[in-house]
Amino acid sequence: MGILSKIFTWWDGATIGTSLWSSRHGEHVGTDAQGNKYYRSKNDKTRTTEGWERRWVIYAGANDASNVPAEWHGWLHHSYDGVPESHLPAPRIWEVDYTPNATGTATAYRPQGALERGGRRAAATGDYEAWSPDA
């Protein structure tokens, strides 16, 4: 299913057409820690109507915008011209590694009382009074 999935599926990485277009019209400028590859347009013909160069990302794995680190997000949206490595502050000891958005997956956070955890929650204490239409 390898080559067929690359031809027809866009949600799990780039299709063959996107890869060919990127190699022909794009200049690879960098890769982040997750393996996402970042490109910009090679020539002025592929500029946007506002006059900016086109910038795009080819995801390593599922196409999920939350997989783009903050520094590359800024570059994609023209916050600065240079590649992000030149704009990164020194890492702090309290910073944790990036984790992708888990919403909608089996690893998503499920609070106490969520239906996926059985739908049971602690009984309300005296600070809660249920609304009644007759009251």
Side-chain angles (χ1 to χ4, degrees):
M1 187 77 180
I3 191 75
L4 286 177
S5 66
K6 282 295 180 189
I7 293 173
F8 295 109
T9 61
W10 54 265
W11 56 86
D12 191 24
T15 62
I16 289 177
T18 303
S19 298
L20 289 173
W21 194 89
S22 295
S23 66
R24 223 175 133 203
H25 297 287
E27 172 189 356
H28 181 256
V29 294
T31 305
D32 65 17
Q34 287 80 32
N36 299 326
K37 295 180 181 181
Y38 298 88
Y39 293 87
R40 68 174 160 212
S41 55
K42 281 184 185 176
N43 55 30
D44 290 340
K45 291 180 184 177
T46 56
R47 290 187 175 262
T48 64
T49 55
E50 293 85 18
W52 293 345
E53 68 181 4
R54 289 190 187 273
R55 296 177 178 179
W56 65 95
V57 59
I58 294 185
Y59 297 100
N63 293 341
D64 182 8
S66 70
N67 286 336
V68 175
E71 60 272 10
W72 281 102
H73 180 270
W75 179 81
L76 284 170
H77 293 274
H78 301 278
S79 295
Y80 42 85
D81 289 329
V83 292
E85 284 79 19
S86 60
H87 297 281
L88 290 177
R92 310 287 180 148
I93 60 171
W94 44 263
E95 289 180 357
V96 296
D97 289 335
Y98 169 78
T99 55
N101 185 352
T103 302
T105 67
T107 59
Y109 172 69
R110 309 269 195 254
Q112 201 67 16
L115 294 176
E116 292 86 359
R117 289 185 65 182
R120 304 205 188 281
R121 65 178 182 89
T125 59
D127 63 344
Y128 174 78
E129 184 180 320
W131 176 80
S132 172
D134 298 331

Coordinates of all heavy atoms in Angstrom, one line a residue, residues 2-49:
G2 N 2.2 1.1 0.1 CA 3.1 2.3 0.2 C 2.9 3.3 -0.9 O 2.6 4.5 -0.6
I3 N 3.1 2.9 -2.2 CA 3.1 3.9 -3.3 C 1.6 4.4 -3.5 O 1.4 5.6 -3.8 CB 3.7 3.3 -4.6 CG1 3.9 4.4 -5.6 CG2 2.9 2.2 -5.1 CD1 5.0 5.3 -5.3
L4 N 0.7 3.6 -3.3 CA -0.7 4.0 -3.5 C -1.1 5.0 -2.4 O -1.8 6.0 -2.7 CB -1.7 2.8 -3.5 CG -1.7 1.9 -4.7 CD1 -2.6 0.7 -4.6 CD2 -2.0 2.7 -6.0
S5 N -0.7 4.8 -1.2 CA -1.0 5.7 -0.2 C -0.4 7.1 -0.4 O -0.9 8.1 -0.1 CB -0.7 5.2 1.2 OG 0.7 5.1 1.3
K6 N 0.8 7.1 -1.0 CA 1.5 8.3 -1.3 C 0.8 9.1 -2.4 O 0.9 10.3 -2.5 CB 3.0 8.1 -1.7 CG 3.8 7.9 -0.5 CD 3.9 9.2 0.3 CE 4.7 9.0 1.6 NZ 4.6 10.2 2.5
I7 N 0.2 8.3 -3.3 CA -0.5 9.0 -4.5 C -1.9 9.6 -4.0 O -2.2 10.7 -4.4 CB -0.8 7.9 -5.6 CG1 0.5 7.5 -6.2 CG2 -1.7 8.5 -6.7 CD1 0.4 6.4 -7.2
F8 N -2.6 8.9 -3.2 CA -4.0 9.3 -2.9 C -4.2 9.9 -1.5 O -5.3 10.5 -1.3 CB -4.9 8.0 -3.1 CG -4.9 7.6 -4.5 CD1 -4.4 6.4 -4.8 CD2 -5.5 8.3 -5.5 CE1 -4.4 5.9 -6.1 CE2 -5.6 7.9 -6.8 CZ -5.0 6.7 -7.1
T9 N -3.4 9.7 -0.5 CA -3.6 10.2 0.8 C -2.8 11.5 1.1 O -1.6 11.5 0.9 CB -3.4 9.2 1.9 OG1 -2.0 8.8 1.8 CG2 -4.2 7.9 1.7
W10 N -3.5 12.5 1.5 CA -2.8 13.7 1.9 C -2.7 13.9 3.4 O -2.0 14.8 3.8 CB -3.6 14.9 1.3 CG -5.0 14.9 1.7 CD1 -6.1 14.4 1.0 CD2 -5.6 15.4 2.9 NE1 -7.2 14.6 1.6 CE2 -7.0 15.2 2.8 CE3 -5.1 16.1 4.0 CZ2 -7.8 15.6 3.9 CZ3 -5.9 16.4 5.0 CH2 -7.3 16.2 4.9
W11 N -3.4 13.2 4.1 CA -3.5 13.4 5.6 C -2.4 12.7 6.3 O -2.2 13.0 7.5 CB -4.8 12.9 6.2 CG -5.1 11.5 5.9 CD1 -4.7 10.4 6.6 CD2 -5.9 11.0 4.8 NE1 -5.2 9.3 6.0 CE2 -5.9 9.6 4.8 CE3 -6.5 11.6 3.7 CZ2 -6.5 8.8 3.9 CZ3 -7.2 10.8 2.8 CH2 -7.2 9.4 2.9
D12 N -1.5 11.9 5.7 CA -0.4 11.3 6.4 C 0.9 11.6 5.6 O 1.4 10.7 4.9 CB -0.7 9.8 6.5 CG 0.3 9.1 7.4 OD1 0.9 9.8 8.3 OD2 0.5 7.9 7.2
G13 N 1.3 12.8 5.7 CA 2.5 13.2 4.9 C 2.1 13.8 3.6 O 1.0 14.0 3.2
A14 N 3.1 14.1 2.8 CA 2.9 14.7 1.5 C 2.6 13.7 0.4 O 3.1 12.6 0.4 CB 4.1 15.5 1.1
T15 N 1.8 14.0 -0.6 CA 1.5 13.2 -1.7 C 2.7 13.3 -2.7 O 3.6 14.1 -2.5 CB 0.2 13.6 -2.5 OG1 0.4 14.9 -2.9 CG2 -1.0 13.5 -1.6
I16 N 2.7 12.4 -3.7 CA 3.8 12.5 -4.7 C 3.8 13.8 -5.4 O 4.8 14.4 -5.6 CB 3.7 11.3 -5.6 CG1 4.0 10.0 -4.9 CG2 4.6 11.5 -6.8 CD1 3.9 8.8 -5.8
G17 N 2.6 14.3 -5.7 CA 2.5 15.6 -6.4 C 3.1 16.7 -5.6 O 3.8 17.6 -6.1
T18 N 2.8 16.8 -4.3 CA 3.3 17.8 -3.4 C 4.8 17.7 -3.3 O 5.5 18.7 -3.3 CB 2.7 17.7 -2.0 OG1 1.3 17.8 -2.1 CG2 3.2 18.8 -1.1
S19 N 5.3 16.5 -3.2 CA 6.8 16.3 -3.1 C 7.5 16.7 -4.4 O 8.5 17.4 -4.3 CB 7.1 14.8 -2.8 OG 6.5 14.4 -1.6
L20 N 6.9 16.4 -5.5 CA 7.5 16.8 -6.8 C 7.4 18.3 -6.9 O 8.4 19.0 -7.4 CB 6.8 16.2 -8.0 CG 7.0 14.7 -8.2 CD1 6.1 14.1 -9.3 CD2 8.5 14.4 -8.5
W21 N 6.3 18.9 -6.6 CA 6.2 20.4 -6.7 C 7.2 21.1 -5.8 O 7.8 22.1 -6.1 CB 4.8 20.8 -6.4 CG 4.5 22.2 -6.8 CD1 4.0 22.7 -8.0 CD2 4.7 23.4 -6.0 NE1 3.9 24.1 -7.9 CE2 4.3 24.5 -6.7 CE3 5.1 23.6 -4.7 CZ2 4.3 25.8 -6.2 CZ3 5.2 24.9 -4.2 CH2 4.8 26.0 -5.0
S22 N 7.3 20.5 -4.5 CA 8.3 21.1 -3.6 C 9.7 21.0 -4.1 O 10.5 22.0 -3.9 CB 8.1 20.4 -2.2 OG 6.8 20.7 -1.7
S23 N 10.1 19.9 -4.7 CA 11.4 19.8 -5.1 C 11.7 20.6 -6.4 O 12.8 21.1 -6.6 CB 11.7 18.3 -5.5 OG 11.0 17.9 -6.6
R24 N 10.7 20.9 -7.1 CA 10.8 21.7 -8.3 C 10.8 23.2 -8.1 O 11.6 24.0 -8.6 CB 9.7 21.4 -9.3 CG 10.2 21.3 -10.7 CD 9.2 20.8 -11.7 NE 9.3 21.7 -12.8 CZ 8.3 21.9 -13.6 NH1 7.2 21.4 -13.5 NH2 8.5 22.7 -14.6
H25 N 9.8 23.6 -7.2 CA 9.6 25.1 -7.0 C 10.1 25.6 -5.6 O 10.0 26.8 -5.4 CB 8.1 25.4 -7.2 CG 7.6 25.1 -8.5 ND1 7.9 25.9 -9.6 CD2 6.8 24.1 -9.0 CE1 7.3 25.4 -10.7 NE2 6.6 24.3 -10.3
G26 N 10.5 24.7 -4.8 CA 10.8 25.1 -3.4 C 12.3 24.9 -3.1 O 13.0 24.1 -3.7
E27 N 12.7 25.6 -2.1 CA 14.1 25.5 -1.6 C 13.9 25.0 -0.1 O 13.3 25.7 0.7 CB 14.7 26.9 -1.6 CG 16.1 26.9 -0.9 CD 16.6 28.4 -0.8 OE1 15.9 29.3 -1.3 OE2 17.6 28.5 -0.2
H28 N 14.6 23.9 0.2 CA 14.5 23.3 1.5 C 15.4 24.2 2.4 O 16.5 24.5 2.2 CB 15.1 21.9 1.5 CG 15.0 21.3 2.8 ND1 16.2 21.1 3.6 CD2 14.0 20.8 3.6 CE1 15.8 20.5 4.7 NE2 14.5 20.3 4.7
V29 N 14.8 24.8 3.5 CA 15.5 25.7 4.4 C 15.8 25.1 5.7 O 16.7 25.6 6.4 CB 14.7 27.0 4.6 CG1 14.6 27.8 3.3 CG2 13.4 26.8 5.2
G30 N 15.1 24.0 6.1 CA 15.4 23.4 7.4 C 14.5 22.3 7.8 O 13.5 22.1 7.1
T31 N 14.9 21.6 8.8 CA 14.1 20.5 9.4 C 14.1 20.7 10.9 O 15.1 21.0 11.5 CB 14.8 19.2 9.0 OG1 14.9 19.1 7.6 CG2 13.9 18.0 9.5
D32 N 12.9 20.5 11.5 CA 12.8 20.7 13.0 C 13.1 19.3 13.7 O 13.4 18.3 13.0 CB 11.5 21.2 13.4 CG 10.3 20.3 13.1 OD1 10.5 19.1 12.8 OD2 9.2 20.8 13.1
A33 N 13.0 19.3 15.0 CA 13.3 18.1 15.8 C 12.4 17.0 15.5 O 12.7 15.8 15.7 CB 13.3 18.5 17.3
Q34 N 11.1 17.3 15.1 CA 10.2 16.2 14.8 C 10.3 15.6 13.4 O 9.6 14.7 13.0 CB 8.7 16.8 14.9 CG 8.3 17.0 16.4 CD 8.8 18.3 16.9 OE1 9.0 19.3 16.2 NE2 9.1 18.3 18.2
G35 N 11.2 16.2 12.6 CA 11.4 15.7 11.2 C 10.6 16.4 10.2 O 10.7 16.1 9.0
N36 N 9.8 17.5 10.5 CA 9.1 18.3 9.5 C 10.1 19.1 8.7 O 11.0 19.6 9.2 CB 8.1 19.2 10.2 CG 7.1 18.5 11.1 OD1 6.7 17.4 10.8 ND2 6.7 19.1 12.2
K37 N 9.8 19.1 7.4 CA 10.7 19.8 6.5 C 10.0 21.1 6.0 O 8.9 21.2 5.7 CB 11.0 19.0 5.3 CG 11.8 17.7 5.6 CD 12.1 16.9 4.4 CE 12.9 15.7 4.8 NZ 13.2 14.9 3.6
Y38 N 10.8 22.2 6.0 CA 10.3 23.5 5.7 C 10.9 24.0 4.4 O 12.1 23.9 4.1 CB 10.6 24.5 6.9 CG 9.9 24.1 8.1 CD1 10.6 23.2 9.0 CD2 8.7 24.5 8.4 CE1 9.9 22.7 10.1 CE2 8.0 24.0 9.6 CZ 8.7 23.2 10.4 OH 8.0 22.7 11.5
Y39 N 10.0 24.6 3.6 CA 10.4 25.1 2.2 C 10.0 26.5 2.0 O 9.1 27.0 2.7 CB 9.7 24.3 1.2 CG 10.2 22.8 1.1 CD1 9.6 21.9 1.9 CD2 11.2 22.4 0.3 CE1 10.0 20.5 1.9 CE2 11.7 21.1 0.2 CZ 11.1 20.2 1.0 OH 11.5 18.9 1.0
R40 N 10.7 27.2 1.1 CA 10.2 28.5 0.6 C 10.4 28.5 -0.9 O 11.1 27.7 -1.5 CB 11.0 29.6 1.3 CG 12.5 29.7 0.9 CD 13.1 30.9 1.4 NE 14.6 30.7 1.5 CZ 15.3 31.2 2.4 NH1 14.8 31.9 3.3 NH2 16.6 31.0 2.3
S41 N 9.7 29.4 -1.5 CA 9.7 29.5 -3.0 C 11.1 29.9 -3.5 O 11.8 30.7 -2.9 CB 8.6 30.5 -3.5 OG 8.8 31.7 -2.9
K42 N 11.4 29.3 -4.6 CA 12.8 29.5 -5.2 C 12.8 30.8 -6.0 O 13.8 31.5 -6.1 CB 13.1 28.4 -6.2 CG 13.7 27.2 -5.6 CD 14.1 26.2 -6.7 CE 14.5 24.9 -6.1 NZ 14.8 23.9 -7.2
N43 N 11.7 31.2 -6.7 CA 11.7 32.3 -7.6 C 10.5 33.2 -7.3 O 9.6 32.9 -6.5 CB 11.7 31.9 -9.0 CG 10.6 31.0 -9.4 OD1 9.5 31.0 -8.8 ND2 10.8 30.1 -10.3
D44 N 10.5 34.4 -7.9 CA 9.4 35.4 -7.7 C 8.1 35.0 -8.3 O 7.1 35.6 -8.0 CB 9.9 36.7 -8.3 CG 11.0 37.4 -7.4 OD1 11.1 37.0 -6.3 OD2 11.7 38.2 -8.0
K45 N 8.1 34.0 -9.2 CA 6.8 33.6 -9.9 C 5.9 33.0 -8.9 O 4.7 32.9 -9.1 CB 7.1 32.7 -11.1 CG 7.7 33.4 -12.2 CD 8.0 32.5 -13.3 CE 8.7 33.2 -14.5 NZ 9.0 32.2 -15.6
T46 N 6.4 32.4 -7.8 CA 5.6 31.7 -6.9 C 5.3 32.5 -5.6 O 4.9 32.0 -4.6 CB 6.2 30.3 -6.5 OG1 7.5 30.6 -6.0 CG2 6.3 29.4 -7.6
R47 N 5.5 33.8 -5.7 CA 5.2 34.7 -4.6 C 3.7 34.8 -4.4 O 2.9 34.7 -5.4 CB 5.8 36.0 -4.7 CG 7.3 36.0 -4.6 CD 7.9 37.3 -4.6 NE 9.4 37.2 -4.3 CZ 9.9 37.4 -3.1 NH1 9.1 37.7 -2.1 NH2 11.2 37.3 -2.9
T48 N 3.3 35.2 -3.2 CA 1.8 35.4 -2.9 C 1.4 36.7 -3.6 O 2.2 37.5 -4.0 CB 1.6 35.4 -1.4 OG1 2.2 36.5 -0.9 CG2 2.0 34.1 -0.8
T49 N 0.1 37.0 -3.5 CA -0.4 38.3 -4.1 C 0.1 39.5 -3.3 O 0.1 40.6 -3.7 CB -1.9 38.3 -4.1 OG1 -2.4 38.0 -2.8 CG2 -2.4 37.2 -5.1

